[in-house]
Amino acid sequence: MTTPALYNPELLDRIADDLYANGFSIQPEALSPTLCHDLLMALQHQPLRSAGIGRSELHRTNADIRRDSIAWIEPDDTATRDWLAFAAELQQAINRRLFLGLFSFESHFAHYAPGAFYKTHVDAFRGESNRVVSVVAYLNPSWQQSDGGSMVLYEPGDQGETLAEVWPEQGTLAVFLSEEFPHEVKPALRDRYSIAGWYRINTSDSSRVDPPR
Ligand code: OGA
Ligand code: MN
């Protein structure tokens, strides 16, 4: 028995080539409708916590910046295991093409209620984080542009021009270098469901000099 493909086999190389050439890649219809549907079901069984409001001062400040609710993804059902398997294959493809030495992956489900946003930010600051590549996957079927909720990706720098406006349509995948590209999530009229993930390098090794041969 064969299981239907979760994604197009050429997809991984296309993403790695785009990352190499441009630092980002936007791929509509990257993930199969079945996988997205199953991930959406899995998300709806998760206890989501507000990413914006917490105990610390830092977290209170975050509420002005982001208003999504999140749940970290663990391999606890078929859909999340398939997602993590996909992420592991993408990790290999990126490492083969860019020699980035990505070694771990973490991701969370995110729910943006109507009106929720995530203001312009970068996912990692140079030298302060070991997040190297960001991945966002979108789960809502039949998204209309009139629903709002796009992710806007900006050129590197403070006053960057818009590089891409990504609509959160089911199956679309956005991949970009975490330190380089400011981006934001615009408020939507509908509930908006996505997965955000990050590949890390091993910082315990990154400060060491390679041993001589
Ligand atoms: C994030 C993020 C984008 C999106 O969680 O850091 O930028 O479109 N998410 O959900
Ligand atoms: Mn982000």
Side-chain angles (χ1 to χ4, degrees):
M1 200 178 77
T2 55
T3 45
L6 301 172
Y7 56 90
N8 177 334
E10 290 163 16
L11 175 73
L12 303 180
D13 290 335
R14 248 190 286 141
I15 294 172
D17 285 352
D18 278 355
L19 267 187
Y20 185 82
N22 306 315
F24 72 99
S25 182
I26 312 297
Q27 299 290 335
E29 296 179 21
L31 298 176
S32 77
T34 310
L35 177 56
C36 291
H37 170 269
D38 293 351
L39 286 167
L40 195 51
M41 295 296 107
L43 179 160
Q44 280 161 356
H45 290 98
Q46 294 281 333
L48 298 161
R49 296 183 294 105
S50 167
I53 299 158
R55 272 167 297 160
S56 71
E57 203 56 46
L58 185 68
H59 276 103
R60 270 199 293 280
T61 314
N62 279 353
D64 297 330
I65 299 170
R66 65 188 294 188
R67 294 279 172 89
D68 56 330
S69 300
I70 64 162
W72 290 96
I73 294 181
E74 300 294 340
D76 45 27
D77 59 24
T78 307
T80 50
R81 279 196 291 273
D82 283 349
W83 161 252
L84 294 170
F86 167 77
E89 293 197 28
L90 180 57
Q91 175 175 328
Q92 279 185 24
I94 295 173
N95 281 340
R96 272 199 306 270
R97 184 76 175 85
L98 286 89
F99 304 105
L100 279 178
L102 307 177
F103 100 120
S104 72
F105 181 72
E106 61 185 350
S107 58
H108 64 57
F109 289 119
H111 169 223
Y112 290 75
F117 53 78
Y118 195 159
K119 296 216 171 130
T120 306
H121 64 282
V122 286
D123 287 343
F125 293 101
R126 210 175 289 281
E128 285 181 22
S129 161
N130 52 357
R131 284 179 175 179
V132 175
V133 175
S134 303
V135 182
V136 189
Y138 296 101
L139 303 179
N140 283 85
S142 331
W143 193 270
Q144 306 292 314
Q145 295 192 1
S146 55
D147 294 327
S150 58
M151 180 184 72
V152 184
L153 197 67
Y154 297 102
E155 275 180 351
D158 283 343
Q159 302 287 316
E161 299 280 309
T162 298
L163 279 178
E165 182 161 26
V166 184
W167 298 96
E169 172 61 22
Q170 185 175 87
T172 296
L173 202 71
V175 185
F176 52 91
L177 298 178
S178 305
E179 291 177 346
E180 302 295 333
F181 297 96
H183 53 283
E184 71 175 307
V185 178
K186 301 274 196 183
L189 299 175
R190 289 171 61 185
D191 291 292
R192 177 192 191 273
Y193 299 100
S194 59
I195 293 175
W198 299 273
Y199 294 105
R200 292 176 178 276
I201 53 165
N202 190 344
T203 38
S204 65
D205 287 334
S206 67
S207 59
R208 276 189 223 142
V209 177
D210 285 342
R213 264 185 273 185

